[in-house]
């Protein structure tokens, strides 16, 4: 049987299959790459396709060979839909070394597709997460048949914020994807114990009894070294010359990435169609959390993609060409708005200063700079980290640790902790729109050689419910730059930190208050900094750090909010 299958594959690389879970038949191939490795590739043709009729193609490459729902949508719109399981994802052949072959494999697949008799030569790519990363990796190769990409919920820069984020390890998501692959392993071991296991580098052995190459790569490559440089789009944006449509959600891990990627393309001289859409969704484009967003907050990514492709690939004038390129959903007012630029025209970047003259943990948030006052001191104990409550991340929970969910969740359970500093504004009197990038400037000292600082921006409702909008982290050794060699702290020295929170769009309605939480952990979204300054991920030792936050006229710690006037 195996011999017969080999003959079939080698002679025509073709089988016509119908799956129990697929509503329409597809053709399945094992497509050879330049080194002889063959990748499972499924092709769905539009209904009624006949020999001699050619169509544009939509290609998706990821963990598996396509999605039947996407196939129905694209083929109904007159596209051939192709799904490919990337190298190392059975039944595709080859070693699993995610990202490192996707530029070449993507290029070879595009060449193979362009020579099929049903192809008119125009190919676009579509998909989220890893399916989006495979688009970013092949786009700079400038294949002549690749006409557009639609990367969703992913960062083109795989070092900046994916498995690591501004130096910290994205613990829960990375561990769920690599250190243990069977959720039952996590349940048996115990989620809390699993995430707390040290040293992190050996978590794979502890939980699953095996070494996982990717887990160990993501943990051990803790600086912007050659590993990340090879698979990062940093420095390569000028080679992406085709139309790009970026999609994400405010409560996905990549809300900031889509705007960074958008601006990086613009700055590189990108002159093809470039668009972006974002709403209060998570990594799977679901509306999440406990806050209400009205009746129009959803976005139909397939419909948006097809309409856009009809214009940029098929050349149809369908109104897309007259629409502003940026489409964002604003929470609080619960309305969509279009924009021509980012940050929005007329943005007033306004500092709101942290005030606590007596050094108390609870302070105020004011537009006037602080005067003299005592700093605020707290202890960060990695044995007792601040728990993750909702947030802007791509850990999906569900069959894994269901307590970890993205979205707006009441933050009051964390508000009383001695290691969480809380700064709150008076109630706003008029609707106040905050739309754009969010930065916190923090003057702080630590007793440790390395530590973390974390922050959240929160919308406090009149009944006291405190819904998180966005969050961020900075690992102190990367305080100067995540792109350069890390530099440990001199204990006790005051340092200036810039924490980049994810961007957001929210209207604080009358009676609501603006609130900021400052701390040194958000666990298990990010790994605990052990405060030792030792090599990251290799440490089994934990130390308590004494953190001092300054907010006086010499050290005016503050958050910069992008205020919008319409």
């Amino acid at each position: 049987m195996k011999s017969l299958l080999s003959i079939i594959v080698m002679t025509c690389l073709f089988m016509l299959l119908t799956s129990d879970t697929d509503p329409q038949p597809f053709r399945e191939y094992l497509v050879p790459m330049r080194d002889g490795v063959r990748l499972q590739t499924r092709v769905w043709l539009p209904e009624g396709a006949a020999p001699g009729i050619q169509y544009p193609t939509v290609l998706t490459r990821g963990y598996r060979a396509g999605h039947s729902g996407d196939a129905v949508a694209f083929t109904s719109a007159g596209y051939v839909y192709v799904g490919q399981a990337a190298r190392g994802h059975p039944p595709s052949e080859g070693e699993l070394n995610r990202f490192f072959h996707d530029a070449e494999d993507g290029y070879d697949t595009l060449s193979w597709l362009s020579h099929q008799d049903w192809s008119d030569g125009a190919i676009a790519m579509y998909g989220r997460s890893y399916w989006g990363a495979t688009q970013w990796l092949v786009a700079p190769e400038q294949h002549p048949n690749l006409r557009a990409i639609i990367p969703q919920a992913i960062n083109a820069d795989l070092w900046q914020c994916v498995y690591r984020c501004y130096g910290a390890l994205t613990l829960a998501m990375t561990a769920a994807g690599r250190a243990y692959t069977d959720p039952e392993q996590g349940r048996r071991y115990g989620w809390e114990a699993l995430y707390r296991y040290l040293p992190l580098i050996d978590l794979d052995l502890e939980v699953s009894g095996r070494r996982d190459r990717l887990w160990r790569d993501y943990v051990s490559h803790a600086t912007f070294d050659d590993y990340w440089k090879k698979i990062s789009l940093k420095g390569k944006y000028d080679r992406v010359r085709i139309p790009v449509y970026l999609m994400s959600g405010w409560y996905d891990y990549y809300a900031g990435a889509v705007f960074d990627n958008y601006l990086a393309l613009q700055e590189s001289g990108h002159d093809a169609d470039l668009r972006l859409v974002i709403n209060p969704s998570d990594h799977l484009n679901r509306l999440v959390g406990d806050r209400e967003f009205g009746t129009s907050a959803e976005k139909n990514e397939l419909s948006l993609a097809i309409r856009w492709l009809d214009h940029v690939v098929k050349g149809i004038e369908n109104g897309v060409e007259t629409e502003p390129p940026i489409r964002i959903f604003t929470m609080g007012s619960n309305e969509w708005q279009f924009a021509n630029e980012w940050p929005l025209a007329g943005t007033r970047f306004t500092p709101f200063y942290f005030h606590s003259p007596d050094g108390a943990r609870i302070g105020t948030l004011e537009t006037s700079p602080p005067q003299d006052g005592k700093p605020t001191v707290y202890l960060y104990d990695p044995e007792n980290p601040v728990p993750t409550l909702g947030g802007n991340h791509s850990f999906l929970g569900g069959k894994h640790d269901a307590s970890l969910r993205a979205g707006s969740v009441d933050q009051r359970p964390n508000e009383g902790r001695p290691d969480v500093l809380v700064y709150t504004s008076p109630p706003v009197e008029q609707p106040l729109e905050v739309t754009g990038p969010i930065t916190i400037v923090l003057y702080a000292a630590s007793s440790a050689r390395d530590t973390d600082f974390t922050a959240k921006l929160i919308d406090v409702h009149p009944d006291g419910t405190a819904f998180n909008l966005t969050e961020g982290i900075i690992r102190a050794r990367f305080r100067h730059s995540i792109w350069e060699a890390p530099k440990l702290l001199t204990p006790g020295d005051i340092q200036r930190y810039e924490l980049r929170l994810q961007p957001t769009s929210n209207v604080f309605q009358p009676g609501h208050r603006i609130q900021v939480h400052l701390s040194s952990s958000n666990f298990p979204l990010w790994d605990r900094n052990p405060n030792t300054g030792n090599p990251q991920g290799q440490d089994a030792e934990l130390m308590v750090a004494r953190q001092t936050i300054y907010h006086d006229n010499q050290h005016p710690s503050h958050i910069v909010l992008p205020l919008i006037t319409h």
Side-chain angles (χ1 to χ4, degrees):
M1 182 65 185
K2 182 180 293 186
S3 174
L4 177 60
L5 180 58
S6 296
I7 293 172
I8 295 173
V9 169
M10 293 302 293
T11 54
C12 64
L13 293 172
F14 168 81
M15 294 180 292
L16 182 62
L17 300 177
T18 302
S19 160
D20 290 339
T21 58
D22 278 279
Q24 62 186 108
F26 54 81
R27 302 173 177 182
E28 183 163 299
Y29 303 80
L30 289 175
V31 176
M33 301 294 102
R34 64 189 67 180
D35 61 355
V37 168
R38 299 174 301 176
L39 305 184
Q40 180 198 32
T41 306
R42 290 177 172 176
V43 176
W44 286 261
L45 298 175
E47 187 175 356
I53 301 178
Q54 295 181 324
Y55 303 91
T57 302
V58 173
L59 168 65
T60 182
R61 303 186 66 251
Y63 304 143
R64 53 188 175 275
H67 303 271
S68 59
D70 293 358
V72 171
F74 283 114
T75 56
S76 298
Y79 295 86
V80 174
Y81 175 76
V82 178
Q84 184 176 82
R87 180 180 297 244
H89 296 87
S92 287
E93 300 170 348
E95 181 183 7
L96 179 61
N97 192 12
R98 196 166 294 154
F99 308 119
F100 281 87
H101 290 278
D102 285 313
E104 295 85 356
D105 289 351
Y107 194 97
D108 293 349
T109 302
L110 291 166
S111 295
W112 182 84
L113 290 172
S114 68
H115 289 98
Q116 302 309 300
D117 58 6
W118 37 257
S119 172
D120 71 358
I123 306 170
M125 294 183 72
Y126 177 86
R128 72 176 59 256
S129 198
Y130 179 44
W131 285 264
T134 58
Q135 300 174 57
W136 281 124
L137 290 162
V138 75
E141 302 299 312
Q142 299 184 340
H143 194 286
N145 295 97
L146 182 58
R147 305 295 169 79
I149 59 173
I150 308 174
Q152 304 148 268
I154 193 60
N155 196 345
D157 188 336
L158 295 170
W159 157 252
Q160 180 199 44
C161 190
V162 181
Y163 297 104
R164 306 196 75 92
C165 188
Y166 292 95
L169 179 70
T170 308
L171 177 60
M173 185 266 286
T174 305
R178 301 311 319 165
Y180 61 94
T181 54
D182 178 5
E184 190 57 38
Q185 293 173 340
R187 281 190 285 271
R188 285 197 303 266
Y189 194 87
W191 298 114
E192 182 76 8
L194 184 150
Y195 295 131
R196 286 177 174 270
Y197 181 80
L198 296 175
L200 281 173
I201 191 68
D202 291 331
L203 179 60
D204 54 351
L205 282 172
E206 175 69 13
V207 178
S208 65
R210 61 177 179 82
R211 291 178 181 268
D212 184 273
R213 174 180 178 177
L214 294 184
W215 167 257
R216 289 177 174 263
D217 281 347
Y218 301 153
V219 173
S220 61
H221 290 281
T223 64
F224 187 55
D225 58 12
D226 289 341
Y227 179 92
W228 297 109
K229 290 175 184 176
K230 182 172 175 57
I231 57 176
S232 169
L233 211 69
K234 185 175 174 63
K236 303 175 187 176
Y237 286 98
D238 62 337
R239 295 188 54 77
V240 180
R241 312 306 304 173
I242 56 176
V244 179
Y245 198 166
L246 297 151
M247 300 184 181
S248 190
W250 295 126
Y251 290 100
D252 181 38
Y253 207 35
Y254 307 110
V258 295
F259 290 101
D260 287 346
N261 300 158
Y262 184 93
L263 294 175
L265 286 171
Q266 282 192 329
E267 291 164 4
S268 73
H270 186 274
D271 57 3
D273 196 279
L274 177 60
R275 294 181 183 271
L276 184 155
V277 62
I278 192 165
N279 71 326
S281 60
D282 71 351
H283 195 58
L284 295 182
N285 193 34
R286 304 171 301 190
L287 298 182
V288 289
D290 300 329
R291 187 180 179 189
E292 292 296 326
F293 297 117
T295 59
S296 63
E298 293 184 347
K299 68 179 187 297
N300 188 320
E301 292 179 322
L302 281 168
S303 294
L304 291 168
I306 289 169
R307 182 168 176 261
W308 181 71
L309 290 176
D310 284 349
H311 174 62
V312 300
V313 173
K314 292 184 179 180
I316 298 173
E317 293 188 5
N318 55 9
V320 167
E321 65 279 2
T322 65
E323 295 173 353
I326 297 172
R327 184 184 183 190
I328 59 179
F329 185 88
T330 301
M331 300 173 285
S333 63
N334 295 339
E335 296 175 340
W336 287 93
Q337 60 175 309
F338 283 93
N340 288 304
E341 58 191 11
W342 184 266
L344 303 187
T347 300
R348 293 181 292 117
F349 288 99
T350 305
F352 284 69
Y353 296 93
F354 306 146
H355 285 251
S356 183
D358 58 358
R361 185 180 65 83
I362 306 296
T364 59
L365 199 59
E366 304 176 23
T367 54
S368 59
Q371 300 304 310
D372 289 336
K374 296 180 180 179
T376 302
V377 177
Y378 67 93
L379 297 180
Y380 159 47
D381 182 0
E383 288 282 13
N384 183 27
V386 178
T388 299
L389 283 179
N392 317 74
H393 59 81
S394 58
F395 188 81
L396 301 178
K399 63 182 181 179
H400 293 278
D401 186 356
S403 67
L404 273 167
R405 59 189 183 114
S408 271
V409 176
D410 192 351
Q411 299 298 301
R412 284 179 292 182
N414 283 342
E415 194 172 299
R417 290 178 57 101
D419 56 352
V420 176
L421 311 190
V422 182
Y423 301 96
T424 311
S425 76
V428 301
E429 297 179 355
Q430 301 293 330
L432 183 68
E433 181 178 341
V434 172
T435 296
I438 312 289
T439 304
I440 286 181
V441 176
L442 191 65
Y443 295 90
S446 177
S447 64
R449 295 195 304 149
D450 187 37
T451 194
D452 290 345
F453 292 103
T454 62
K456 291 184 179 182
L457 175 64
I458 297 165
D459 184 339
V460 181
H461 290 222
D463 66 358
T465 306
F467 283 128
N468 52 298
L469 295 169
T470 181
E471 61 202 347
I473 188 171
I474 188 167
R475 185 142 288 177
R477 67 177 71 196
F478 293 104
R479 63 196 179 279
H480 300 305
S481 172
I482 63 171
W483 315 110
E484 300 171 4
K487 185 177 180 180
L488 295 178
L489 296 170
T490 299
D493 279 4
I494 301 175
Q495 299 285 332
R496 183 183 187 273
Y497 297 89
E498 285 195 13
L499 281 75
R500 288 191 61 192
L501 280 60
Q502 299 274 21
T504 194
S505 183
N506 183 74
V507 172
F508 291 85
Q509 296 290 357
H512 290 225
R513 292 172 290 156
I514 307 167
Q515 188 174 87
V516 173
H517 284 188
L518 292 178
S519 193
S520 290
S521 52
N522 185 339
F523 175 82
L525 172 55
W526 294 305
D527 69 317
R528 298 169 292 167
N529 195 315
N531 299 322
T532 63
N534 295 333
Q536 295 189 79
Q538 320 293 319
D539 212 333
E541 178 187 3
L542 298 175
M543 296 174 57
V544 176
R546 186 176 190 268
Q547 318 287 53
T548 304
I549 306 299
Y550 294 84
H551 34 67
D552 54 51
N553 57 357
Q554 299 270 323
H555 309 97
S557 296
H558 60 275
I559 186 170
V560 181
L561 297 181
L563 304 185
I564 306 298
T565 302
H566 290 285

